[in-house]
Amino acid sequence: MKRRRNHSRQTTNRKTSIISSPLAFALNILLIYIIYGVCRVEYVWENWSVFSQGLLNNSWSDLLIGSLKFDTSAILYTNALYAIMMLFPCHLKEKNGWQIAAKCVFIITNALSIIANLADSVYFKFTGRRTTATVFGEFKNEDNLGSIFGAEIINHWYVVLLGLILIGSLFFFYRKPNGKTKLIGSKDYLSYYSVHVLCFLLFIPLTIAGMRGGMTHAVRPITISNANQYVSKPSEAAVILNTPFSMIRTLGKKTFVNPKYFSDEELDRIYSPLHTPADSIV
């Protein structure tokens, strides 16, 4: 009787270990969705003076749908390597060393996303929009970045504290697959690879659709401008967007450069918008 119980327990453990990696991956991605939501709440709270007038007049369902769409795209972009490490159908990924590496990739990647989102909540008051990849060019000639960042860190210590809490939650709530039970026999291997190949094949089209923002052929990859369809004012698009998405979608894009066809003096000679009326006093 005892031997039968042990056999039943081992069978259950093997079945659990077969779906452990996909299940752990799904739970960890859900954690990132929650963290992005917290970052968005902090973003709105930090800039409430800008958003308070019009944001409450928007449809909450539109705000939620738009936020989820852009968060999904950003999360899939930034966690692409982690997804491959967790879902690629190979039983060697269940080993402890592989899982430690996957956890490091997950924490480092999403810690950077947290920092970008929270830092951008402070930077918004200077730009009025989500930060894009152009930020690297904007600060390339600055030689006092240390003092600027230091002052902002002190003034916004609560944002730093929230960032530390959220990054700490990546460590604390991270779900590691249960790879303790080894696969025994061809039946276990067949079950394992059947499940993992199916999960991997299902994840590929879902990832493409999530990154693009839709599944139909008519849907083009969403860009920053698409956020405006969920809000009533252009300035409120920053609420729908997230900073990782804004930076990823603008990497390598050419920024507007003033061609300077005419100098200011030449323009004034051709046409000046300033007109001095004649003296009407006779």
Side-chain angles (χ1 to χ4, degrees), residues 16-63:
T16 302
S17 67
I18 287 175
I19 64 171
S20 182
S21 288
L23 180 60
F25 171 78
L27 292 175
N28 291 331
I29 293 300
L30 178 60
L31 172 62
I32 299 304
Y33 272 102
I34 296 173
I35 289 176
Y36 268 61
V38 173
C39 289
R40 178 170 286 103
V41 171
E42 189 280 332
Y43 194 98
V44 173
W45 179 80
E46 181 70 29
N47 301 284
W48 184 245
S49 60
V50 177
F51 300 130
S52 59
Q53 294 181 353
L55 192 60
L56 296 177
N57 296 325
N58 286 275
S59 168
W60 288 101
S61 60
D62 287 343
L63 294 175

Side-chain angles (χ1 to χ4, degrees), residues 54-55 57-58 228-234 236:
L55 192 60
N57 296 325
N58 286 275
N228 291 306
Q229 71 186 78
Y230 299 99
V231 293
S232 57
K233 296 181 180 179
E236 297 167 355

Side-chain angles (χ1 to χ4, degrees), residues 104-177:
C104 290
V105 170
F106 176 82
I107 290 174
I108 293 173
T109 301
N110 291 293
L112 292 174
S113 297
I114 292 171
I115 293 171
N117 276 318
L118 294 181
D120 204 16
S121 69
V122 177
Y123 191 52
F124 174 81
K125 63 183 179 182
F126 300 106
T127 61
R129 58 176 174 80
R130 284 279 182 174
T131 297
T132 62
T134 58
V135 69
F136 300 111
E138 293 170 0
F139 288 99
K140 65 180 180 180
N141 296 321
E142 295 290 339
D143 54 1
N144 61 337
L145 290 179
S147 60
I148 295 175
F149 290 150
E152 293 299 332
I153 288 174
I154 295 174
N155 294 333
H156 299 87
W157 59 268
Y158 49 89
V159 178
V160 177
L161 178 60
L162 177 61
L164 293 175
I165 293 173
L166 293 179
I167 294 174
S169 69
L170 297 176
F171 288 90
F172 186 78
F173 294 108
Y174 182 84
R175 177 69 179 268
K176 184 179 178 181

Side-chain angles (χ1 to χ4, degrees), residues 2-270:
K2 184 176 181 181
R3 185 177 299 175
R4 186 177 298 175
R5 288 180 181 176
N6 290 336
H7 177 72
S8 177
R9 188 178 299 170
Q10 290 175 1
T11 302
T12 302
N13 288 339
R14 281 198 293 272
K15 290 181 179 179
T16 302
S17 67
I18 287 175
I19 64 171
S20 182
S21 288
L23 180 60
F25 171 78
L27 292 175
N28 291 331
I29 293 300
L30 178 60
L31 172 62
I32 299 304
Y33 272 102
I34 296 173
I35 289 176
Y36 268 61
V38 173
C39 289
R40 178 170 286 103
V41 171
E42 189 280 332
Y43 194 98
V44 173
W45 179 80
E46 181 70 29
N47 301 284
W48 184 245
S49 60
V50 177
F51 300 130
S52 59
Q53 294 181 353
L55 192 60
L56 296 177
N57 296 325
N58 286 275
S59 168
W60 288 101
S61 60
D62 287 343
L63 294 175
L64 179 60
I65 293 172
S67 298
L68 286 175
K69 180 177 289 189
F70 285 94
D71 285 357
T72 297
S73 183
I75 289 171
L76 291 174
Y77 272 120
T78 55
N79 288 278
L81 177 58
Y82 175 69
I84 294 174
M85 296 181 72
M86 292 292 288
L87 298 179
F88 189 77
C90 177
H91 68 279
L92 296 178
K93 73 172 183 283
E94 307 296 339
K95 292 184 176 295
N96 189 52
W98 183 284
Q99 289 301 325
I100 291 175
K103 182 177 181 179
C104 290
V105 170
F106 176 82
I107 290 174
I108 293 173
T109 301
N110 291 293
L112 292 174
S113 297
I114 292 171
I115 293 171
N117 276 318
L118 294 181
D120 204 16
S121 69
V122 177
Y123 191 52
F124 174 81
K125 63 183 179 182
F126 300 106
T127 61
R129 58 176 174 80
R130 284 279 182 174
T131 297
T132 62
T134 58
V135 69
F136 300 111
E138 293 170 0
F139 288 99
K140 65 180 180 180
N141 296 321
E142 295 290 339
D143 54 1
N144 61 337
L145 290 179
S147 60
I148 295 175
F149 290 150
E152 293 299 332
I153 288 174
I154 295 174
N155 294 333
H156 299 87
W157 59 268
Y158 49 89
V159 178
V160 177
L161 178 60
L162 177 61
L164 293 175
I165 293 173
L166 293 179
I167 294 174
S169 69
L170 297 176
F171 288 90
F172 186 78
F173 294 108
Y174 182 84
R175 177 69 179 268
K176 184 179 178 181
N178 179 20
K180 295 181 180 180
T181 304
K182 295 182 179 180
L183 302 177
I184 302 174
S186 59
K187 186 177 180 180
D188 284 349
Y189 280 97
L190 179 61
S191 299
Y192 178 89
Y193 277 93
S194 297
V195 170
H196 283 251
V197 168
L198 178 62
C199 290
F200 190 69
L201 292 179
L202 287 175
F203 184 72
I204 292 174
L206 291 177
T207 298
I208 295 174
M211 288 179 173
R212 289 174 57 86
M215 301 186 69
T216 63
H217 294 290
V219 176
R220 295 183 179 181
I222 55 175
T223 61
I224 294 176
S225 60
N226 292 117
N228 291 306
Q229 71 186 78
Y230 299 99
V231 293
S232 57
K233 296 181 180 179
S235 61
E236 297 167 355
V239 177
I240 301 297
L241 295 166
N242 59 78
T243 307
F245 177 88
S246 297
M247 298 188 74
I248 290 171
R249 293 297 294 157
T250 53
L251 282 173
K253 300 293 180 64
K254 294 182 178 180
T255 58
F256 175 78
V257 178
N258 185 357
K260 295 183 178 180
Y261 295 119
F262 300 95
S263 65
D264 293 339
E265 292 77 11
E266 290 175 317
L267 288 174
D268 289 339
R269 287 198 298 268
I270 296 173

